[in-house]
Amino acid sequence: MTTATLHRSAVLDDAHVGDIKGAFGTIKLDDHGARRGLSAKLKTLLAIVGPGLIVMVGDNDAGAFATYGQAGHDYGTKLLWTLLLLVPVLYVNQEMVLRLGAVTGVGHARLIFERFGKFWGAFSVIDLFLLNALTLVTEFIGITLATGYLGLPKAPSVALAAVVIASAAMTGSFRRFERLAVVLCLGSLLLIPISIAAHPAVGTMAHGFVRPSLPGGAGGMAPLMLLIIGIVGTTVAPWQLFFQQSYVIDKRITPRFMKYEKADLWIGIVIVVIGAAAIMGIGAVAFAGSTGGFTDAGSIATALQNYGGRVLGDLFAVALLDASIIGAFAVSLSTAYAIGDVFKINHSLHRGVKQAKGFYAVYAGVVALAAAIVMTASDHVLGVLTSGVQALAGVLLPSATVFLLLLCVDKEVLGPWVNGKKTTAFTATVIGVLVALSIVLTASVVKPDISTGQISGILIGCAIGGLLGAAFLGAKALRARRAPDFAAESIDRSGRDDWRMPPLAELGQLKFSATRRVGMAALRLYLLVAMVLVVWKLVEMMLGH
């Protein structure tokens, strides 16, 4: 980045500008040399690696252990194909986020405020805060399940974990935090030897990956469809978007290192898919022949002990503990980063507590709140909250992806880094699928005994609506092309390594077309109705109705 470009950037915290100090190396701010040779490229990758790895491994958290474990319990390895199906979704979503972070220097929440107005900005931060608080509760539930299996008392274990999670980020050293986070990410690879020791059939695993199937059980297709939606909601979560964009900014990654950050993302995706597959395979063999229903992630450790001995159960509990802590790191940071962005306060791990009091207060506060809830709430309430995380994540994910897409086609925000047509079309299709799954999930929360026919009706209705919408937009584009003054838009990609978004004050609020205003109004109405219904149902469940 040139000095002139630096002064023209939109970066909100000057701690976000400087040398890249990664877990495994440093890149100086004024280092503009070309990377020639394998050794130089590898050193650069080692310095950059972190954001993509942490966000992806953090996604295999306590909730994911439970969801993938249930898939193995209920259907063996027959749902492994869903993981491969989600790989392009994961990559496209998170690649757009890292592009936004590197090019704009501004967090996701702030961009939504500036480009879409106060309503959507407030909505995005409030729903992120609510959903992250619930997700953090599930991380601490995972910690209690793991430590409980290992024979450790609940209250001291939760309290110690909260202190470790809070203090790890408060050292004032970005590198120190990232080193710890990366070590924990490497700890997630413990699932590989556990899986090898449990030895699920390789042929059966391979078959589950390459041959999609919908294995209905005694309950019909409805439980299966809801579990698949749960896998989608677990694998693609709203907090990931906010976390990775802000973490890329905090690490001081600029556009010229984009290809290395994409490699980092791919490393994370490979590890998360391997981990998820391992948990499904472990669940399949550990629960083989079981007649009871699935309870929680802790039951996998118990079943594994019965299957292969105490050591396997202990190792799985350690993997669950590791995953819960990584998830807690990432979710807490995504909340603190968002609040720091919105209120324009210092929000960087490069700063000590005295320099960023508000940032660290939010981070420690959400950790303490989640720990307190887990230590004081009844098992029934905690069970309802765990269900609520998946439901709310499913409801809110489409809106998060809508804003992500709108920002990534905004030339004032990304300039030469805006989406190409293929990426935009793919993301629009993903949004359509997520909306359909979100409606099914909302309906299932309101009506727990939803039938296979009702789910099919919702999906068919959404498909018809999507086709009609695509036809309308296609016809509109065709009319525009036939206009006498039509000129095809081209994207100038030159000089993009040094291009940064201008200061926010120069951008202003995005002006929507009539079609887009109608679409946003419909989204607003759906989200409000869906959230009210889901929260109402969760409150009823907590009260025992």
Side-chain angles (χ1 to χ4, degrees):
M1 189 192 304
T2 64
T3 303
T5 305
L6 177 60
H7 289 308
R8 286 268 304 143
S9 73
V11 174
L12 298 176
D13 186 337
D14 57 16
H16 294 158
V17 179
D19 299 342
I20 295 174
K21 298 178 180 178
F24 304 116
T26 300
I27 301 175
K28 295 291 186 181
L29 177 62
D30 58 357
D31 178 0
H32 301 293
R35 267 58 181 173
R36 294 187 175 90
L38 181 61
S39 176
K41 292 177 180 178
L42 181 59
K43 287 179 180 178
T44 302
L45 176 60
L46 287 173
I48 295 295
V49 74
L53 175 65
I54 295 168
V55 75
M56 287 291 97
V57 176
D59 192 42
N60 263 2
D61 60 358
F65 267 58
T67 302
Y68 300 140
Q70 183 176 357
H73 173 281
D74 293 352
Y75 303 106
T77 57
K78 294 178 181 177
L79 295 182
L80 283 171
W81 59 271
T82 59
L83 302 177
L84 290 185
L85 208 60
L86 287 170
V87 166
V89 178
L90 280 172
Y91 177 76
V92 170
N93 267 17
Q94 297 306 130
E95 187 276 336
M96 288 193 290
V97 166
L98 72 87
R99 214 178 335 134
L100 281 172
V103 175
T104 69
V106 177
H108 208 65
R110 188 77 219 168
L111 283 179
I112 294 173
F113 257 101
E114 295 293 335
R115 297 302 277 166
F116 305 113
K118 291 181 179 179
F119 173 84
W120 286 115
F123 184 91
S124 67
V125 172
I126 291 169
D127 71 41
L128 178 74
F129 189 89
L130 175 62
L131 185 55
N132 281 5
L134 292 175
T135 304
L136 264 177
V137 169
T138 66
E139 308 300 1
F140 276 99
I141 291 173
I143 289 169
T144 63
L145 292 173
T147 54
Y149 173 84
L150 295 171
L152 301 174
K154 177 178 177 178
S157 299
V158 171
L160 179 60
V163 170
V164 169
I165 292 165
S167 60
M170 295 184 177
T171 63
S173 169
F174 183 95
R175 171 171 287 164
R176 194 173 295 128
F177 171 82
E178 185 167 89
R179 281 178 175 169
L180 174 59
V182 170
V183 167
L184 290 173
C185 288
L186 295 176
S188 71
L189 297 176
L190 183 61
L191 288 167
I192 296 176
I194 296 173
S195 181
I196 292 172
H199 51 78
V202 176
T204 305
M205 293 279 287
H207 190 271
F209 266 120
V210 300
R211 186 172 179 179
S213 63
L214 295 172
M221 294 294 289
L224 170 65
M225 293 302 298
L226 293 176
L227 183 56
I228 291 175
I229 293 171
I231 292 172
V232 173
T234 294
T235 311
V236 187
W239 67 261
Q240 294 171 282
L241 310 181
F242 290 82
F243 171 79
Q244 188 175 9
Q245 184 165 333
S246 291
Y247 196 82
V248 163
I249 294 165
D250 204 6
K251 190 162 182 177
R252 303 163 173 171
I253 294 173
T254 56
R256 69 193 189 91
F257 296 110
M258 196 76 76
K259 65 180 181 180
Y260 293 99
E261 182 49 35
K262 289 180 181 180
D264 169 44
L265 177 59
W266 273 117
I267 292 170
I269 289 174
V270 169
I271 291 176
V272 80
V273 170
I274 290 173
I279 297 169
M280 276 197 201
I282 290 167
V285 297
F287 290 111
S290 171
T291 55
F294 182 81
T295 52
D296 52 45
S299 67
I300 305 174
T302 302
L304 200 54
Q305 175 189 338
N306 296 335
Y307 169 79
R310 179 76 193 190
V311 173
L312 275 185
D314 287 350
L315 289 175
F316 188 85
V318 171
L320 173 59
L321 179 61
D322 177 85
S324 301
I325 292 174
I326 298 172
F329 276 155
V331 173
S332 304
L333 272 177
S334 73
T335 306
Y337 278 136
I339 297 298
D341 254 329
V342 170
F343 292 101
K344 300 181 182 179
I345 59 176
N346 290 339
H347 51 293
S348 172
L349 292 172
H350 292 283
R351 295 185 181 277
V353 174
K354 291 183 179 180
Q355 294 177 308
K357 294 177 183 177
F359 171 67
Y360 288 116
V362 172
Y363 178 84
V366 293
V367 171
L369 176 63
I373 290 173
V374 171
M375 283 196 286
T376 58
S378 67
D379 291 343
H380 170 69
V381 170
L382 293 177
V384 172
L385 290 177
T386 302
S387 301
V389 170
Q390 279 194 355
L392 285 173
V395 168
L396 297 172
L397 185 57
S399 68
T401 312
V402 165
F403 289 124
L404 175 60
L405 177 59
L406 291 176
L407 287 170
C408 285
V409 297
D410 189 340
K411 288 186 177 181
E412 292 186 68
V413 170
L414 282 182
W417 290 98
V418 291
N419 278 3
K421 291 181 180 178
K422 291 181 180 178
T423 301
T424 300
F426 178 81
T427 309
T429 303
V430 168
I431 289 171
V433 173
L434 291 177
V435 168
L437 297 181
S438 171
I439 294 173
V440 171
L441 190 57
T442 304
S444 72
V445 173
V446 177
K447 190 176 186 298
D449 59 344
I450 189 170
S451 67
T452 303
Q454 290 168 325
I455 291 176
S456 300
I458 293 172
L459 294 177
I460 291 171
C462 289
I464 293 172
L467 291 173
L468 291 175
F472 171 77
L473 293 175
K476 185 179 177 181
L478 186 60
R479 284 198 303 271
R481 285 178 176 275
R482 289 175 177 172
D485 58 345
F486 173 76
E489 278 192 78
S490 61
I491 302 171
D492 181 7
R493 306 283 188 185
S494 61
R496 62 181 189 168
D497 281 357
D498 291 319
W499 196 93
R500 300 298 296 272
M501 185 182 78
L504 291 170
E506 297 180 17
L507 296 184
Q509 193 170 322
L510 193 64
K511 293 181 180 179
F512 287 143
S513 64
T515 303
R516 199 169 276 183
R517 280 199 302 272
V518 171
M520 295 300 286
L523 177 63
R524 179 186 301 188
L525 178 62
Y526 165 69
L527 289 172
L528 289 175
V529 171
M531 283 193 68
V532 168
L533 289 174
V534 170
V535 172
W536 180 267
K537 189 66 179 180
L538 292 175
V539 171
E540 279 191 337
M541 291 168 66
M542 287 183 189
L543 297 175
H545 297 308

